[in-house]
């Protein structure tokens, strides 16, 4: 693991000491950290706040703990849940033409198509743009609240955090806003379109998600879960070789 501002002689000494590290277990991978980009193995060491660990091969950031990051992630998760609830029930847009207008929300759209053939599509859209982000925010709160308070993690904190990371690529709020914006450009030529508070809530959600990704350090969270006495199920470790191999 390469820390910022490390010079070449120090790096060489560190790599030589890596093979002699007493806490390593090559049969299970305990004490090692793999780079998510190039799979290079590094010794997993504790970092202080403000330090950055980088891959010695490709320079990818492996860990970057921040002081108070858990509290900031909790606040951002609460903000995401509030914004999503408002985005569902507040008016999303209003279309008017020749003195007639109509405003609707995502919840109203779902009710309008509740009995039609498009019901599966409506349900899928709501799940992707609302359900999964809310679920992911809840899983982060379940994982981080005890850690931020200095208490042992909840019983299923490791599973909850793992699922929150699995669901990250499937949170489609950003894609929904981009697709809606493109559609509104075409609709604006036919009628007058007024954006409602729900649309701006989705835009704010994009900023909140970007901030959350900036404060997130998966390695630090996993270390905090393990330091709290909770064992993971071994998915972070390489499989042990069979006897006789």
């Amino acid at each position: 693991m390469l820390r910022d501002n490390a010079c070449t002689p120090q790096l060489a000494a560190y790599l030589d000491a890596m093979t002699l590290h007493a806490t390593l277990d090559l049969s299970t991978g305990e004490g090692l950290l793999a780079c998510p980009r190039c799979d290079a193995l590094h010794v997993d060491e504790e970092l202080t706040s403000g330090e950055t660990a980088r891959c010695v091969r490709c320079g990818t950031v492996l860990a970057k703990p921040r002081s108070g990051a858990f509290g900031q992630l909790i606040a951002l998760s609460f903000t995401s849940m509030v914004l999503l609830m408002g985005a569902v029930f507040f008016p999303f847009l209003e279309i008017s033409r020749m003195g007639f207008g109509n405003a609707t929300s995502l919840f109203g759209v779902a009710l309008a198509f509740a009995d039609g053939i498009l019901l599966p599509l409506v349900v899928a859209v709501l799940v992707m743009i609302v359900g999964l982000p809310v679920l992911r925010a809840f899983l982060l709160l379940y994982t981080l609240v005890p850690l931020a308070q200095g208490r042992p993690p909840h019983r299923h904190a490791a599973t909850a955090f793992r699922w929150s990371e699995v669901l990250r690529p499937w949170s489609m709020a950003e894609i929904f806003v981009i697709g809606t914006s493109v559609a509104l450009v075409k609709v604006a030529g036919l009628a007058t379109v007024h954006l409602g508070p729900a649309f701006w809530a989705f835009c704010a959600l994009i900023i909140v998600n970007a901030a959350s990704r900036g404060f997130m350090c998966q390695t630090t969270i996993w270390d905090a879960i393990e330091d709290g006495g909770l064992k993971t199920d071994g998915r972070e470790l390489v499989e042990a070789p069979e006897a006789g191999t």
Side-chain angles (χ1 to χ4, degrees):
M1 203 182 295
L2 175 63
R3 298 184 181 183
D4 286 350
N5 302 323
C7 60
T8 301
Q10 291 174 332
L11 175 58
Y14 182 77
L15 292 176
D16 291 337
M18 182 176 178
T19 58
L20 302 176
H21 200 284
T23 61
L24 298 184
D25 186 351
L26 297 180
S27 64
T28 63
E30 184 176 0
L32 295 173
L33 181 65
C35 174
R37 176 173 294 179
C38 68
D39 293 330
L41 293 178
H42 307 77
V43 175
D44 188 7
E45 290 190 344
E46 295 289 338
L47 301 179
T48 60
S49 178
E51 288 187 320
T52 301
R54 297 181 182 274
C55 176
V56 296
R57 178 185 296 172
C58 65
T60 300
V61 175
L62 302 178
K64 189 176 182 180
R66 298 172 180 265
S67 178
F70 286 177
Q72 293 166 336
L73 288 172
I74 290 172
L76 292 172
S77 297
F78 270 118
T79 303
S80 298
M81 297 179 71
V82 172
L83 288 174
L84 285 168
M85 291 299 100
V88 171
F89 297 104
F90 285 138
F92 187 83
L93 58 84
E94 179 181 0
I95 299 178
S96 60
R97 180 176 173 82
M98 300 179 63
F100 297 94
N102 185 32
T104 186
S105 63
L106 293 180
F107 185 71
V109 172
L111 291 180
F113 292 96
D115 298 327
I117 194 174
L118 295 179
L119 176 60
L121 177 60
V122 173
V123 173
V125 170
L126 290 178
V127 168
M128 289 293 181
I129 67 175
V130 179
L132 292 186
V134 170
L135 177 59
R136 183 171 181 270
F138 175 79
L139 292 174
L140 284 176
L141 291 174
Y142 179 86
T143 303
L144 296 177
V145 168
L147 300 178
Q149 296 175 344
R151 298 187 288 109
H154 291 306
R155 179 179 179 182
H156 302 290
T159 302
F161 182 64
R162 182 175 294 108
W163 273 105
S164 72
E165 292 301 293
V166 170
L167 295 176
R168 180 201 295 267
W170 297 97
S171 299
M172 298 293 185
E174 297 89 345
I175 305 302
F176 176 74
V177 171
I178 295 174
T180 302
S181 301
V182 173
L184 290 179
V185 171
K186 297 182 178 181
V187 175
L190 304 175
T192 302
V193 178
H194 301 281
L195 300 177
F199 178 86
W200 300 113
F202 272 110
C203 294
L205 181 64
I206 296 176
I207 300 176
V208 171
N209 288 339
S212 179
R213 285 191 291 268
F215 288 114
M216 176 74 70
C217 178
Q218 293 89 344
T219 303
T220 303
I221 297 177
W222 281 120
D223 289 342
I225 292 174
E226 294 178 350
D227 292 343
L230 186 64
K231 296 295 184 180
T232 63
D233 62 3
R235 297 185 194 181
E236 291 73 36
L237 306 177
V238 298
E239 294 183 359
E242 297 180 0
T245 59

